[in-house]
Amino acid sequence: MHRHGTVFEELAVEVMAELPTDEARHEVLALVDIARRHPYAFPDVRDTGSVEEIREAFGSRWIQYMPRAGAIEVREIGWAG
């Protein structure tokens, strides 16, 4: 799924579909938009020795993503509503 320079992994798409309300989906998408516009504003949480840069944006919802040339690849999504 592509949304304004964002690629969603298959699991992230499934999690989005399972969120309980439209409000929850909007909250997650708002965080995705912030991460897309400012991909390096959030901490790098990659495992030691990993070459894949994984960043995590968080609050009552969270995403893990990989910055890609002009886009982000959303790997995981969570929501604690």
Side-chain angles (χ1 to χ4, degrees):
M1 169 190 288
H2 297 275
R3 181 180 168 82
H4 306 290
T6 306
V7 175
F8 287 82
E9 287 284 315
E10 186 175 333
L11 181 59
V13 171
E14 290 174 18
V15 170
M16 284 292 291
E18 293 174 2
L19 290 173
T21 65
D22 285 339
E23 180 181 347
R25 283 183 279 284
H26 290 296
E27 288 179 14
V28 170
L29 288 174
L31 184 59
V32 167
D33 188 52
I34 292 167
R36 183 190 54 79
R37 288 185 284 124
H38 306 285
Y40 298 101
F42 297 98
D44 186 343
V45 296
R46 75 180 100 184
D47 292 332
T48 303
S50 176
V51 295
E52 289 188 325
E53 180 178 2
I54 304 292
R55 295 196 171 258
E56 185 170 83
F58 45 86
S60 63
R61 67 274 188 221
W62 57 270
I63 61 170
Q64 283 191 344
Y65 63 94
M66 296 173 59
R68 299 279 189 213
I72 64 171
E73 179 181 329
V74 178
R75 306 285 301 260
E76 292 187 36
I77 294 173
W79 184 76

